[in-house]
Amino acid sequence: MKKYLSQSLSCTIFIFLITTLLSCEVFRTTPERNASSRTASRGRTAPSRRPSDRRPPARKPVAKAPVKKPAPARNTTPTYARPGDANTENIPQVVQIARTYTGTPYRSGGNDKQGIDCSGLICQVYSEMGVKVPRISWQQSEFGQEVGSVEEIKAGDWLFFVPEAGKEGYVSHAGIVTDVRGRDEIIFIHASTSRGVREDNLFSTYFKGRFVKAMRPF
């Protein structure tokens, strides 16, 4: 009986030891496998790219503004004929050319027989003679020598007027004297806003009150 019990106890102890050893082996190897698998997973990295492979996205070419060339220097001072240079013998020609514009309709800023304004008429008449004079009426009113009195006005002189009779103001109208027929009859040609290019008497009611000065350009 004792012999049987001792054998049974020995078997039980042996089984217990075997079971314990196996359990320790399992517990010992499992973490190592997990560790190795983690190490393997950590060791896997994305394939590295060479610096040349990392190219920035293509950019569209930016159009550059054209380079502007500097504007050539201009002479801001107009070159006019010098007052007094033209011979008084040319006055009949001035009158003749001016009368060829008779009937031309008025057009502000106009310079030809399709349409012309008062200062344009003066400028164009002398231009056809090869003489350059100012284009704007107030500039024309300062060109040449002022005539001292109405009695001294001659053919070829320029006459200037203001907008309102009996009042001072800016020069708004101009004409060329074509004929002096008497003390009360000085005829001049001009571009009328309502009737185009025509000749009128300086001493008419409308113009006499608006007349301010006469200039002798040459």
Side-chain angles (χ1 to χ4, degrees):
M1 185 67 177
K2 291 181 181 181
K3 184 179 181 180
Y4 177 76
L5 289 174
S6 62
Q7 290 179 350
S8 178
L9 180 60
S10 298
C11 290
T12 301
I13 293 171
F14 177 78
I15 293 172
F16 175 78
L17 292 174
I18 293 300
T19 304
T20 302
L21 291 174
L22 290 175
S23 299
C24 291
E25 184 67 19
V26 171
F27 287 122
R28 186 185 302 164
T29 57
T30 301
E32 291 179 358
R33 291 179 180 177
N34 292 338
S36 62
S37 62
R38 289 179 183 176
T39 303
S41 61
R42 290 178 182 177
R44 296 176 183 175
T45 56
S48 60
R49 294 182 180 179
R50 297 179 180 178
S52 59
D53 294 337
R54 298 179 182 178
R55 297 177 181 176
R59 296 182 181 179
K60 295 182 179 180
V62 180
K64 296 182 179 180
V67 178
K68 294 183 179 180
K69 297 181 179 180
R74 295 182 179 180
N75 184 8
T76 56
T77 304
T79 304
Y80 301 130
R82 290 185 302 170
D85 280 355
N87 196 311
T88 55
E89 295 179 357
N90 294 328
I91 291 177
Q93 185 181 1
V94 171
V95 174
Q96 181 182 0
I97 294 173
R99 282 176 171 166
T100 64
Y101 283 84
T102 300
T104 300
Y106 179 88
R107 181 167 63 88
S108 180
N111 293 298
D112 53 37
K113 292 181 180 179
Q114 300 300 318
I116 202 165
D117 59 16
C118 61
S119 59
L121 176 63
I122 293 176
C123 184
Q124 189 60 28
V125 167
Y126 283 88
S127 178
E128 291 187 22
M129 296 177 59
V131 180
K132 186 174 180 59
V133 300
R135 172 63 175 81
I136 304 173
S137 57
W138 71 265
Q139 293 177 334
Q140 293 171 348
S141 70
E142 298 177 353
F143 185 82
Q145 183 178 0
E146 185 172 356
V147 178
S149 64
V150 175
E151 289 77 13
E152 298 177 10
I153 293 176
K154 298 179 181 180
D157 291 346
W158 298 348
L159 305 182
F160 298 94
F161 306 86
V162 292
E164 296 185 44
K167 295 183 179 181
E168 294 182 356
Y170 62 92
V171 171
S172 61
H173 196 60
I176 302 173
V177 177
T178 55
D179 194 11
V180 178
R181 300 174 183 174
R183 295 183 59 182
D184 296 332
E185 195 174 6
I186 298 176
I187 308 303
F188 69 100
I189 190 169
H190 63 111
S192 167
T193 56
S194 58
R195 299 181 182 180
V197 178
R198 52 175 285 143
E199 292 183 70
D200 281 297
N201 185 5
L202 172 62
F203 288 93
S204 64
T205 303
Y206 182 85
F207 290 106
K208 184 178 180 179
R210 290 171 171 79
F211 171 72
V212 288
K213 67 188 300 186
M215 296 294 292
R216 188 160 296 156
F218 303 104

